[in-house]
Amino acid sequence: QSGGLISLVSMVTIAILFVSELDTYFNIEVVDHIIVDTTLDQKLSIGLNITFPHLRCDEVSVDTVDNMGQSQVDVSGGLVKINLNKDGQPSDGDIEEAVKGCGPCLEAADFDPSRCCNDCTELRQAYTDNGLPYYHILDTAPQCKHSIGCRVHGDVQVSKVAGNVHVALGKSRIRDGKHVHEFNINQVGDGFNTSHSIHRLDFGERVRGMQSPLCGTTKIVKHGAFMFHYYLKLVPTIFEGGGRKVYTHQYSVSDNDKNVMVKKGELVGLPGVFLVYEFTPFLVHKVEKTVPLSNFLTSVCAIIGGVFTVAGMIDAILYRGYKRLRKVNTKGSL
């Protein structure tokens, strides 16, 4: 009976140790090394997917500026803009047949009753010509209400120096070698809604197990004109494993926001969303370390042999003890 019990316990022990060893074999250990980063001449691909629920696509311009003075205005090559309706679903943009005949210019009609506003561009221009803010009517005006938001997704190529990617108020231009934003302050008398949701933000190729801290971030603006700053510290990283070598970046982030419209018609900053990044001088080299099959098989053999050896020793000790106990009982009976 003791032999059967020992055999059962041995088999259970072998099964538990085998599963544990199998888990260790399939789990990949990642070994980190830190070295000085010398890859300064590379281009960096920034992957974006950001939704602006209250900024139209014709109001959204993605710009980049770096510390070497290089700028990109209204980046379009690798980016796609998708018009969104009030429910946040993709739309076909403004509907030309939204108004028939001579479309109403709403509040701007008080200045020129004969003027026609048949599309959203004409309506905004009528408001601008008469010094009226128009952002508050974009969600409801028949010429504009079918396209009130915008989703921007794709990749932006930048040089590997500190800089920023931003979406901000006004038409961005390069003037005298400087990046400037031109706008009419009367257009934002009722605020500039920079509410946004970040669905994706990657600096380089996404690698399994790498975290993206800003993914899922949502900021809602209910009044005023907010300037959002995200300060990103990029850590150049090389992942090596599975027969491939990937150069990418991990990052940490801190953020700050404030309402830059202290009073109607006065701004103390440029409302928008700014992703400000800088690089650390060190590079993290991550190498996947796998357990060789020979090591796994050796460990399994050692487990089986070790368990049966210990089981045999325990069985021998119990058997000898039992034999001696019987001898003592036999002598006592005589």
Side-chain angles (χ1 to χ4, degrees), residues 21-77:
E21 192 65 31
L22 189 65
D23 181 66
T24 302
Y25 175 70
F26 283 114
N27 279 336
I28 299 175
E29 180 185 2
V30 179
V31 180
D32 294 351
H33 303 282
I34 298 178
I35 58 178
V36 176
D37 184 20
T38 57
T39 58
L40 300 178
D41 57 343
Q42 294 189 1
K43 286 287 186 179
L44 174 63
S45 176
I46 303 178
L48 301 171
N49 189 342
I50 305 177
T51 294
F52 299 93
H54 296 286
L55 287 182
R56 292 167 53 86
C57 284
D58 52 14
E59 300 280 350
V60 172
S61 171
V62 179
D63 307 324
T64 70
V65 181
D66 64 35
N67 288 358
M68 294 184 66
Q70 296 181 351
S71 300
Q72 299 182 71
V73 174
D74 195 13
V75 180
S76 57

Side-chain angles (χ1 to χ4, degrees), residues 182-232:
E182 298 177 345
F183 59 91
N184 186 338
I185 190 63
N186 293 324
Q187 296 176 2
V188 290
D190 53 357
F192 183 72
N193 195 328
T194 50
S195 298
H196 60 279
S197 295
I198 301 176
H199 312 293
R200 171 189 172 227
L201 180 63
D202 297 322
F203 294 84
E205 185 177 339
R206 173 70 69 89
V207 178
R208 180 187 60 189
M210 188 174 71
Q211 301 297 318
S212 182
L214 277 180
C215 286
T217 298
T218 298
K219 301 286 187 178
I220 302 298
V221 175
K222 295 184 177 179
H223 61 84
F226 272 74
M227 177 170 59
F228 294 94
H229 274 99
Y230 295 98
Y231 300 99
L232 306 154

